Amino acid sequence: MKNGERARAGHGSPAAPGPTAGPGPTPAPGPTVVGREAEIAEIRSRIAADRSHSSVLIVEGDPGAGKSVLLDLAVRLTRGTGQRVLRAVGSESEASLAFAGLHQMLRPVLDDLGGLPARQRSALRTALGLAEDAETAETADTPDALLVGLAVLTLVSDLSEPAPLLVVVDDAQWIDRASLDVLSFLARRMAGEPVTLLMGVRAAAVLPGFDKGYERLEIGPLSGDAANRLLDEQPKRPTGRTRARILREAAGNPLALVELARATADREPEGSGVEGPLPVTDRLEGIFARHVRHLPEATRRALLLLAAADAADAPAAARGLPEAADTVWAPAERAGLVRQDGTGVSFRHPLVRSAVYHAAPFEQRRRAHLALARQLGEEPDRRAWHLAAAAVRPDEQVSAALRETAGRARRRGGHAAAAAALERAAELSPHRADQARLLADAADTAVFTGQLGWVEHLAAGVRERSDDPALIGRAALATGRLLTLGPHHTAAFALLSRVADEAAVTRSPRLLDALAAAAVVRYYSGEESQRQRIEALLADVPDSAAGAALRAWVLAVSDPSGAGASLAPALPRLIAAAKGEAGSLTALAVVAWLLDRTPLAARTFDEAFGRWQAHGPLPAGLACAAGWAYLEQGRWADARSVAAEIAEVASGAGLDHAEACAHTLDATVLALLGEPAEARDSAERALALVDPLESRSVAVLARRALGLAAVAEGDYDSAYAQFRAAFTEDGDLVHYHVSPTVLAELAAAAVRRGHREPAARLLERSARHLGPGMSARLFLLVERGRALLAEPERAERHFRAALAGEAGEQWPFERAQTRLDYGEWLRRQRRVAEARPLLTGALDTFRRLGARPWIDRAKAELRAAGIEADAAAPGALTELSPQQQQIVRLAAHGLTNREIGEKLFLSPRTVGSHLYRVFPKLGITARAQLRDLLDDALQVTGSAQ
């Protein structure tokens, strides 16, 4: 099956003994499977003992279709070969507990955490709530979500070292979001590891992070033949009209077939059947509930206690039972409701748990939750949720316990769990004012989950409970911030404008926060009326030291060549004053990038590295600015790493615009590296995610990437069309910040395709629009464009202006392009001796960057100038992928595979695999040779810094 396709496997079912399919290990004793030969073969192929690569398979189907049976079979097959298995099962009651699923999965290997690098170990222990003591837990920093994911990746890689590893997650639709994010990270990053990840999920359930790009095995209804074979395997096989009705009403669902056969086994006369035309799920719950009614009272109490418990609470449930375990559970096991094994007692199917729980009157459920809460004194988070489930009226003490739970979840990076706890705390608070405040807190926290509908629901709750404009504005601002990362920028700006208007009336400090978010929308949309609105509101904000960074942000983002340009001299002072505060550093780094202070921007992003996506897993406004700064400075591998990280979190959260921004960044680097097909794919994915009229920045960036891809292929007609799309028919800028960066590329393509005059008019129109606020970088690009478009006798002064001074060294690729253009012009003017140094310098830069199409062009020009460019050592480096270049550079500076993996969010095994493949390409045999051979070649930005 190809990636992303659905495997249309054959039908089968869980049952009593029956045939299994295909060669492979013999499973340990346990239930076998009737039918499902194709599904079993697929599972076997994923867990073959000799597997040497990673595999991810989503096993999906309706409740009772047999997903759990197939996953159990995979576990038995794997354990039968002596290999290791990590397993977790989702439950509805644990879905609000941050990292509960991850803790369940890793519980058998917690002792192995000691082998992780210190930062990874600390982040993972904090996420799992394993701080050394209570004081440490309260003061620990919120773990970086990517670092937690990396810790799990490293741990899984280590565990799979002696033998392949199987990770099984059943009922994944109920796994808490924080754990699911880690599993998604693991799935994307474990390429090359001998690890198989099987995810069982209900059909039609949304599984963030796994909704695209992975193979899926659909467990559909049984065929008629398979359903009949399954009924024949039952202890008392149904016949006649009873059999026909079971087949009809079960509709091929294996669990329904088995349970309906069990329920009708003692019904006489034959044919009386099962009453009631209920949906299958409701009918099954009714069947299970009837089983429960005939059990001893002690067993019923035990079942309800187990149903009210989380998987992690099961020991507490057992402790709460006065009777001996075998006495209590034996009747339930005989009735087929539970199973006992070495790990304890569990329900045979989630439907059983649901039936037991919902069939009990609320007062009985309440007593069960209270009993569990009493047993969980040392588990304050689980205790708080059980107390909340038992609450029948507002309760300040329970509300307070949930607020404490939210605080702990937030410190561990569990934003979904924290927001859920705050929302429930609001419901249980006796006072409307406190309810509104807690819902506003929940909205602020839920922003980091990316779930816009949830944030909007919480904001609506604030409005219903309060007339306080501060609280209403704060909740609305939370909604607006999340809207900025989606594609609907007109709606986002309208909402943020309302928040700003109300804040201006009350002279609230929230005004600057609202304008900062609105400025992000202005950048993405490129709408001029939004700039005017922001500047009018900003006039009402008094100057203050505390708001200096945010004010700089608003001005620079809204109008970098106008009002923002005056901020450039103050940037170093503002950055120094930020004193390492990640949020302010990131904002000021974005400002530096917008004002084309590229080295300062890159250094500031570096200073905030690991924290610039701070305070949550979602990309902040203009997060891709870090990647663009790295790209412009020549750090292309770093730029791709930024793009990959943003695309991962944005895709998982469904934030289309943020994901599109990441794709345009990656597409641009790919085009420059000479990978036009991949560049086009990324750019077109970006365009498919947004409305070009709502997201002009993405539209122009994608067109620029498509144009560069066409240049890489020598298709200058297509290149000109793509670059020209960065401007309106009248020649105005489509986007105030991005369109000017296309001017030189447009000029180069225009000259080759005979569009010199219209391109010259457009360039001069843009130059007049930019005016005196034009940055040094834009000035150099404009001068390069003028040189290319000018008549031969007027071109040289523009080339010289474009190469004057050292400022242009900040942008090595653009400087090399100008040298190449000038060298070409000189050669054609028969000034070959003057052309050679320029062409040689351009080739050197292109080689160091790995810009293959431009390397070829520079070599051709040098040959025409009488110089045969040698195959210099750095050329071998350009044949490596950007990620391999980055690994080699870090290894050359003495980092171990673990340290490299931590920086690049890869497993140590993956790093080692890359180095193993790279050494022959570089002509070396030992790691110690890397520094001497490659260090100089990898200092891409040495002269620019």
Side-chain angles (χ1 to χ4, degrees):
M1 291 181 292
K2 295 182 179 178
N3 209 27
E5 292 181 351
R6 292 182 178 273
R8 302 287 179 181
H11 303 303
S13 76
T20 57
T26 301
T32 54
V33 184
V34 172
R36 303 296 193 205
E37 287 82 4
E39 290 94 330
I40 294 172
E42 181 66 27
I43 294 289
R44 284 183 181 274
S45 72
R46 303 291 173 142
I47 60 174
D50 62 348
R51 67 184 186 273
S52 59
H53 59 278
S54 65
S55 178
V56 179
L57 183 66
I58 314 298
V59 181
E60 66 176 13
D62 291 328
K67 303 182 297 298
S68 297
V69 172
L70 286 170
L71 294 178
D72 287 344
L73 175 63
V75 170
R76 299 201 318 276
L77 288 169
T78 300
R79 287 178 173 158
T81 65
Q83 297 173 39
R84 200 163 207 167
V85 178
L86 296 180
R87 191 170 194 182
V89 180
S91 68
E92 288 178 281
S93 56
E94 283 191 324
S96 297
L97 295 170
F99 298 108
L102 188 64
H103 190 280
Q104 184 188 155
M105 185 181 90
L106 299 181
R107 188 184 298 125
V109 295
L110 291 178
D111 289 344
D112 294 289
L113 266 57
L116 295 174
R119 289 179 65 237
Q120 296 180 35
R121 181 175 64 250
S122 175
L124 183 54
R125 287 182 63 84
T126 301
L128 296 178
L130 299 176
E132 302 298 334
D133 51 53
E135 182 178 352
T136 303
E138 292 297 317
T139 60
D141 291 337
T142 299
D144 181 274
L146 292 175
L147 196 57
V148 174
L150 177 61
V152 175
L153 175 63
T154 304
L155 179 63
V156 164
S157 178
D158 290 347
L159 292 171
S160 66
E161 187 69 36
L165 176 70
L166 175 65
V167 180
V168 173
V169 180
D170 199 3
D171 284 322
Q173 72 277 357
W174 291 327
I175 292 289
D176 65 278
R177 181 58 185 271
S179 297
L180 199 59
D181 288 343
V182 171
L183 289 166
S184 176
F185 178 94
L186 176 66
R188 288 191 295 269
R189 295 284 180 144
M190 67 184 193
E193 304 288 344
V195 178
T196 294
L197 173 60
L198 302 180
M199 303 280 288
V201 62
R202 285 191 175 182
V206 176
L207 201 61
F210 291 92
D211 54 345
K212 54 187 177 182
Y214 297 106
E215 294 180 51
R216 310 182 91 82
L217 182 64
E218 281 191 355
I219 312 300
L222 294 176
S223 66
D225 176 68
N228 274 295
R229 284 196 289 126
L230 176 57
L231 291 179
D232 288 340
E233 295 285 353
Q234 300 312 302
K236 185 173 181 180
R237 58 189 294 268
T239 59
R241 286 180 295 172
T242 298
R243 185 184 186 99
R245 186 170 184 186
I246 290 172
L247 289 169
R248 183 178 67 253
E249 296 191 2
N253 184 285
L255 183 63
L257 286 161
V258 171
E259 295 305 328
L260 290 173
R262 184 193 302 269
T264 59
D266 56 356
R267 287 178 178 267
E268 295 293 343
E270 188 278 324
S272 59
V274 180
E275 297 179 0
L278 300 174
V280 169
T281 299
D282 291 345
R283 184 187 304 114
L284 288 176
E285 289 189 355
I287 291 169
F288 296 138
R290 285 198 295 275
H291 285 320
V292 172
R293 283 199 296 271
H294 298 296
L295 296 175
E297 182 180 353
T299 301
R300 292 201 305 272
R301 287 201 311 271
L303 283 172
L304 181 56
L305 200 63
L306 187 64
D310 299 331
D313 297 340
R319 289 197 303 271
L321 299 172
E323 295 85 4
D326 55 351
T327 304
V328 172
W329 297 116
E333 191 169 16
R334 286 194 298 271
L337 300 176
V338 300
R339 62 164 64 95
Q340 294 190 80
D341 54 32
T343 62
V345 181
S346 61
F347 285 108
R348 236 175 9 91
H349 192 277
L351 287 176
V352 182
R353 180 187 183 207
S354 176
V356 169
Y357 185 80
H358 292 291
F362 172 76
E363 185 55 35
Q364 291 181 18
R365 299 201 302 266
R366 179 174 180 272
R367 287 198 296 268
H369 284 294
L370 289 173
L372 286 166
R374 286 192 295 271
Q375 296 295 322
L376 291 166
E378 297 180 0
E379 296 281 349
D381 294 337
R382 288 187 164 89
R383 178 178 180 274
W385 278 106
H386 282 298
L387 289 173
V392 294
R393 61 182 62 85
D395 188 316
E396 179 57 34
Q397 288 185 324
V398 179
S399 179
L402 286 168
R403 294 198 296 272
E404 292 174 1
T405 286
R408 285 186 289 269
R410 198 155 35 201
R411 285 189 290 275
R412 297 198 303 269
H415 300 282
L422 288 168
E423 183 177 20
R424 183 64 174 131
E427 293 170 356
L428 292 175
S429 178
H431 308 294
R432 287 179 66 85
D434 290 337
Q435 293 171 11
R437 177 180 52 78
L438 289 167
L439 288 174
D441 291 344
D444 284 338
T445 305
V447 166
F448 298 110
T449 70
Q451 298 178 46
L452 179 60
W454 189 12
V455 175
E456 290 176 328
H457 170 74
L458 293 167
V462 175
R463 293 193 299 272
E464 291 171 4
R465 291 165 175 81
S466 177
D467 296 326
D468 183 350
L471 282 178
I472 294 172
R474 182 152 70 91
L477 181 57
T479 306
R481 281 174 171 158
L482 195 50
L483 276 172
T484 64
L485 300 179
H488 305 299
H489 293 124
T490 300
F493 192 85
L495 175 58
L496 291 165
S497 293
R498 288 197 299 273
V499 175
D501 282 335
E502 293 164 3
V505 171
T506 60
R507 304 190 67 80
S508 166
R510 193 173 59 255
L511 172 56
L512 198 53
D513 292 328
L515 291 178
V520 175
V521 180
R522 147 69 173 163
Y523 185 88
Y524 288 152
S525 72
E527 177 59 49
E528 176 62 16
S529 63
Q530 292 177 0
R531 178 193 65 80
Q532 296 168 358
R533 182 77 181 122
I534 288 170
E535 289 187 359
L537 287 165
L538 193 61
D540 294 331
V541 179
D543 289 331
S544 69
L550 211 50
R551 190 182 185 90
W553 162 275
V554 173
L555 287 170
V557 173
S558 300
D559 188 14
S561 64
S566 62
L567 295 169
L571 274 176
R573 174 178 54 79
L574 291 170
I575 290 170
K579 296 178 180 177
E581 201 283 312
S584 295
L585 280 176
T586 302
L588 290 167
V590 170
V591 172
W593 169 70
L594 288 164
L595 300 182
D596 286 327
R597 298 288 300 274
T598 306
L600 178 62
R603 287 197 302 272
T604 308
F605 279 124
D606 286 343
E607 188 177 344
F609 182 75
R611 297 175 294 165
W612 65 276
Q613 289 179 311
H615 313 308
L618 297 182
L622 292 179
C624 273
W628 290 113
Y630 294 150
L631 182 149
E632 291 159 12
Q633 203 184 23
R635 295 165 56 179
W636 292 358
D638 289 343
R640 292 201 70 190
S641 293
V642 169
E645 290 166 17
I646 293 174
E648 283 179 359
V649 294
S651 176
L655 301 174
D656 290 348
H657 189 273
E659 183 182 355
C661 290
H663 288 319
T664 62
L665 173 58
D666 199 46
T668 304
V669 184
L670 286 166
L672 296 177
L673 290 168
E675 303 289 349
E678 292 85 348
R680 276 194 297 273
D681 181 63
S682 288
E684 287 164 0
R685 286 171 67 190
L687 290 171
L689 287 167
V690 299
D691 178 348
L693 297 179
E694 291 255 357
S695 301
R696 293 183 181 91
S697 62
V698 166
V700 176
L701 286 167
R703 296 298 176 192
R704 187 176 73 176
L706 290 169
L708 288 169
V711 170
E713 294 179 314
D715 181 1
Y716 290 96
D717 284 324
S718 296
Y720 179 81
Q722 296 293 351
F723 294 142
R724 183 61 181 80
F727 305 88
T728 68
E729 288 187 14
D730 295 334
D732 291 329
L733 306 175
V734 169
H735 189 272
Y736 62 97
H737 182 249
V738 184
S739 291
T741 66
V742 183
L743 288 168
E745 300 293 352
L746 176 67
V751 169
R752 290 177 177 267
R753 304 316 305 163
H755 301 301
R756 187 186 302 267
E757 290 186 8
R761 289 195 299 272
L762 187 151
L763 185 145
E764 295 305 328
R765 183 186 183 103
S766 298
R768 288 193 298 273
H769 174 83
L770 293 169
M774 188 188 307
S775 71
R777 179 186 174 214
L778 290 182
F779 172 79
L780 298 178
L781 291 175
V782 168
E783 287 299 305
R784 178 190 168 213
R786 284 170 171 161
L788 291 166
L789 295 168
E791 297 299 327
E793 65 275 9
R794 301 176 60 187
E796 187 163 18
R797 68 186 181 93
H798 294 297
F799 276 127
R800 289 185 178 276
L803 290 171
E806 298 298 319
E809 301 297 338
Q810 301 174 72
W811 308 287
F813 180 74
E814 292 169 5
R815 173 56 61 103
Q817 284 182 298
T818 305
R819 286 190 175 118
L820 177 58
D821 291 336
Y822 190 19
E824 282 182 324
W825 183 87
L826 287 169
R827 184 186 61 77
R828 289 169 184 166
Q829 300 302 309
R830 301 183 184 279
R831 295 160 61 180
V832 176
E834 296 174 73
R836 288 170 178 167
L838 288 164
L839 296 172
T840 301
L843 176 59
D844 180 62
T845 299
F846 293 143
R847 275 175 164 164
R848 286 185 282 129
L849 292 168
R852 286 190 287 270
W854 286 266
I855 291 171
D856 294 341
R857 183 178 151 200
K859 284 182 176 180
E861 283 297 322
L862 274 169
R863 282 194 297 271
I867 296 178
E868 189 64 37
D870 59 16
L877 181 62
T878 66
E879 298 303 315
L880 306 182
S881 72
Q883 187 177 73
Q884 288 173 332
Q885 291 182 38
Q886 202 169 17
I887 290 170
V888 167
R889 182 180 67 199
L890 294 171
H893 285 83
L895 275 70
T896 66
N897 287 2
R898 280 186 179 273
E899 291 167 336
I900 295 170
E902 188 163 338
K903 283 185 173 292
L904 304 184
F905 298 100
L906 299 171
S907 73
R909 189 201 303 269
T910 299
V911 173
S913 177
H914 277 300
L915 288 173
Y916 178 81
R917 294 194 297 270
V918 160
F919 278 16
K921 295 180 181 179
L922 298 178
I924 62 175
T925 58
R927 197 183 191 103
Q929 297 172 270
L930 282 173
R931 178 180 289 275
D932 292 339
L933 182 65
L934 299 174
D935 202 27
D936 290 340
L938 285 170
Q939 297 304 311
V940 172
T941 62
S943 60
Q945 298 187 44

